[in-house]
Amino acid sequence: MKKIELEIIALSHSMSGTQSYAVVLGEVNGLRKLPIVIGGFEAQAIAVALERMKPTRPLTHDLIKNITSAFNIELLEVIINDLQEGVFYATLVCMNDHQTAEIDSRTSDAIALAVRYGCPIYTFEHILDNASMEMNTSTISSSSEPFHSGSAAEPTSTENDLSHLSIIELQKMLDQVLESEDYIKAAAIRDEINRRKSK
């Protein structure tokens, strides 16, 4: 089966639950997007890597990368290879000096590791046929980065709350949320600071 490459285009609150998030993967050179509901911990793990934040201590996915790197194991690619009853399944394709192995993984964990390794994420046509949504060019974020921490369609409540704060207040808030390891909120605050500085 032909593999289709995906890229992370958004990480935002999910409509399906207050404690859930959605990572949205977009088809490279295509218009389809694949929304995947993930937990808060996994969303933070993905946001930390995307935003290149440095936690005071390694998070679980950082630890996994440190262990695999110590033993010369490389993550070559992530494949989202199945969809059953609304649940996505993924495989990590790993290699060391002697062999290649495929390891079963939760999709959210696989994405968090892919971001850390900078490896490609793939899926197959039948999964996009069953679970993707069409996306035209007007709905794609105008940012030069493929990732943004909020929804492209409407601002999150966090973004609305930040609009009345000064840059100094935003910087203080950013320091506080980084201290408390709330990396999703930190990403939104950093986006707001960068947006104002670019004006």
Side-chain angles (χ1 to χ4, degrees), residues 49-149:
L50 287 171
E51 295 290 329
R52 294 180 176 83
M53 296 179 192
K54 298 292 182 193
T56 53
R57 301 294 296 142
L59 300 178
T60 304
H61 299 90
D62 299 316
L63 175 62
I64 292 169
K65 184 176 188 292
N66 292 342
I67 292 169
T68 56
S69 296
F71 290 94
N72 296 321
I73 300 169
E74 185 179 350
L75 179 58
L76 300 177
E77 62 187 25
V78 164
I79 304 173
I80 301 171
N81 57 3
D82 202 2
L83 174 63
Q84 296 180 20
E85 299 178 6
V87 177
F88 291 93
Y89 291 79
T91 298
L92 306 173
V93 180
C94 301
M95 182 182 73
N96 67 8
D97 298 333
H98 309 292
Q99 62 183 353
T100 301
E102 294 187 1
I103 301 169
D104 184 35
S105 172
R106 293 189 315 163
T107 302
S108 55
D109 291 327
I111 294 169
L113 288 170
V115 174
R116 282 161 172 77
Y117 275 91
C119 74
I121 302 169
Y122 296 104
T123 193
F124 299 113
E125 189 70 39
H126 71 276
I127 293 175
L128 286 174
D129 286 343
N130 288 323
S132 69
M133 299 182 299
E134 276 283 310
M135 175 174 64
N136 60 42
T137 53
S138 66
T139 63
I140 298 173
S141 170
S142 60
S143 166
S144 60
E145 294 293 320
F147 166 73
H148 57 91
S149 58

